[in-house]
Amino acid sequence: MTAIRLLLVDDDPLVRAGLSLMMGGADDIEIVGEAADGAEAEALVDRTRPDVVLMDIRMPTVDGLTATERLRAREDAPQVVVLTTFHADEQVLRALRVGAAGFVLKDTPPAEILAAVRRVAAGDPVLSPTVTRQLMRHAVGTAADTRRTRARERLAALNDREREVAVAVGRGLANAAIATGLFMSVATVKTHVSRILAKLDLNNRVQIALLAYDAGLLEEER
């Protein structure tokens, strides 16, 4: 089995040391580098080519949000998991909108952080439906109407079937559950998800979920 190449980014050396000790003990994970801020992380990505970056948000010089946006804009972008001390934070939402695959809390049990890295490396987001709903509720506030209008304009590019799949993704359903609910094969679901990402110029399923919530599609479904 090929080891997952992991880059750790946090301005606190004690946090990095703890993460390195925790993650380095796994047979299927290789720590390829550590960085103290976003600028250093970008340079290390060029040299080490990680599969996953575990990224703190609040850092000096270049913060994790800026670094995440820059990394995800690359052609061969690594997956990014945001590290945070907050359960729901506007900066976490912004990180997800620019392409992070999810987030984990710094006090998350080691086994769950390991599982999150493995899931992201396999192409799955690390937000549970419960956490996703919490983030969406937190996002509803100022400029909500403008966000809804813009989201609906973007979703107009989807056909009816793709729209149904987008709603299901927004509900936090896995491909198998979507296939069962919409009476299609898992392969067809994957094809629809890929088309949605391409049509809407999105990076991952988390962004599909955010757009579905912004557009109010889940409220209409209920």
Side-chain angles (χ1 to χ4, degrees), residues 135-177:
L135 284 169
M136 302 312 160
R137 286 196 298 270
H138 182 79
V140 175
T142 58
D145 290 341
T146 300
R147 208 164 40 236
R148 174 167 294 198
T149 299
R150 290 176 178 172
R152 292 194 173 201
E153 288 174 352
R154 292 185 69 185
L155 289 169
L158 305 181
N159 61 38
D160 290 343
R161 205 56 166 160
E162 291 165 347
R163 189 183 179 95
E164 289 177 335
V165 172
V167 170
V169 170
R171 290 173 54 206
L173 298 180
N175 287 341

Side-chain angles (χ1 to χ4, degrees), residues 72-148:
R72 291 302 299 165
R74 298 183 178 206
E75 184 174 347
D76 296 322
Q79 296 292 342
V80 177
V81 178
V82 171
L83 280 169
T84 180
T85 55
F86 298 93
H87 286 269
D89 181 271
E90 182 60 32
Q91 287 187 311
V92 174
L93 283 165
R94 290 173 60 196
L96 296 177
R97 291 185 190 281
V98 298
F103 79 91
V104 293
L105 301 175
K106 288 189 176 181
D107 60 357
T108 298
E112 293 183 22
I113 297 181
L114 283 168
V117 169
R118 291 173 178 135
R119 285 182 57 188
V120 166
D124 296 325
V126 297
L127 293 179
S128 69
T130 300
V131 172
T132 301
R133 287 192 293 271
Q134 180 184 6
L135 284 169
M136 302 312 160
R137 286 196 298 270
H138 182 79
V140 175
T142 58
D145 290 341
T146 300
R147 208 164 40 236
R148 174 167 294 198

Side-chain angles (χ1 to χ4, degrees), residues 4-7 45 50-55 68 71-72 76-82 99-102 116-126 203-206:
I4 299 166
R5 298 174 61 80
L6 178 67
L7 176 64
V45 166
D51 301 306
V52 180
V53 178
L54 205 53
M55 179 85 73
T68 296
L71 290 178
R72 291 302 299 165
D76 296 322
Q79 296 292 342
V80 177
V81 178
V82 171
V117 169
R118 291 173 178 135
R119 285 182 57 188
V120 166
D124 296 325
V126 297
N203 284 294
N204 53 45
R205 296 168 71 98
V206 175

